[in-house]
Amino acid sequence: MNCIFCKIINNEIPSYKIYEDELVIAFLDISQATKGHTLVVCKEHYETLFDIPEKTFLHLMNIVKKLAKDIYEKTDANGINILQNNYLAAGQTVHHFHVHIIPRYDEQDGFNPTFKENENPNLDEVFNLLK
Ligand code: AMP
Ligand code: ZN
């Protein structure tokens, strides 16, 4: 399969691995949006949140929590964002499930997840759709 994360998992291409167990692997994101930007990736190839089995997902998210704390402390960051993209419209570029751990230092640190404020949201309509 022509998947860059599968190649990293199979040691076909190099990475800076910081954690590994039987189900997941964590390595430095090559782009380093901020210092310490890390990806936590399932070893089996599942494309999105909707594909990964619950057991693997729960295990992976526990590792995200542990690594996030470790990274937060070691980098001396002031905050942490956890980000997970699914499908192209959401910015997913590698179609193998992964979670970003992004240490935050200040508002000018290179990552800006600020939400755009919607002036007139139709909450009734949205609520009727989702309830
Ligand atoms: P996403 O946009 O959520 O699919 O994120 C994919 C991430 O994978 C991006 O932040 C890339 O910088 C990162 N990436 C792509 N290739 C590599 C690689 N060879 N090693 C580490 N990270 C990578
Ligand atoms: Zn893959």
Side-chain angles (χ1 to χ4, degrees):
M1 191 184 301
N2 194 22
C3 167
I4 194 125
F5 288 176
C6 283
K7 286 181 181 160
I8 288 174
I9 289 156
N10 294 327
N11 288 313
E12 290 165 31
I13 61 170
S15 69
Y16 289 89
K17 250 177 247 171
I18 64 164
Y19 177 84
E20 181 168 14
D21 65 28
E22 70 285 359
L23 293 178
V24 310
I25 185 171
F27 51 86
L28 299 186
D29 191 298
I30 205 165
S31 74
Q32 290 296 286
T34 65
K35 187 179 73 183
H37 181 184
T38 296
L39 300 173
V40 186
V41 181
C42 49
K43 282 191 170 173
E44 287 281 318
H45 181 96
Y46 301 110
E47 183 170 348
T48 72
L49 180 65
F50 307 135
D51 304 305
I52 185 169
E54 187 178 343
K55 183 170 166 273
T56 310
F57 175 71
L58 293 176
H59 175 73
L60 187 148
M61 291 309 290
N62 267 310
I63 301 302
V64 167
K65 186 175 184 216
K66 288 193 177 97
L67 290 177
K69 183 159 188 284
D70 199 40
I71 291 166
Y72 176 72
E73 288 171 357
K74 285 180 173 164
T75 57
D76 241 346
N78 300 310
I80 285 270
N81 285 115
I82 304 298
L83 177 70
Q84 201 275 309
N85 299 327
N86 298 283
Y87 303 120
L88 285 173
Q92 185 176 14
T93 59
V94 177
H95 299 278
H96 180 135
F97 182 88
H98 56 280
V99 175
H100 296 255
I101 299 174
I102 306 170
R104 300 301 308 281
Y105 302 93
D106 56 44
E107 282 168 14
Q108 268 82 48
D109 62 11
F111 184 67
N112 186 357
T114 315
F115 298 109
K116 196 182 94 197
E117 250 180 62
N118 190 341
E119 300 233 318
N120 210 1
N122 188 337
L123 290 176
D124 287 338
E125 185 193 331
V126 181
F127 182 67
N128 283 330
L129 181 69
L130 299 185
K131 72 183 179 191

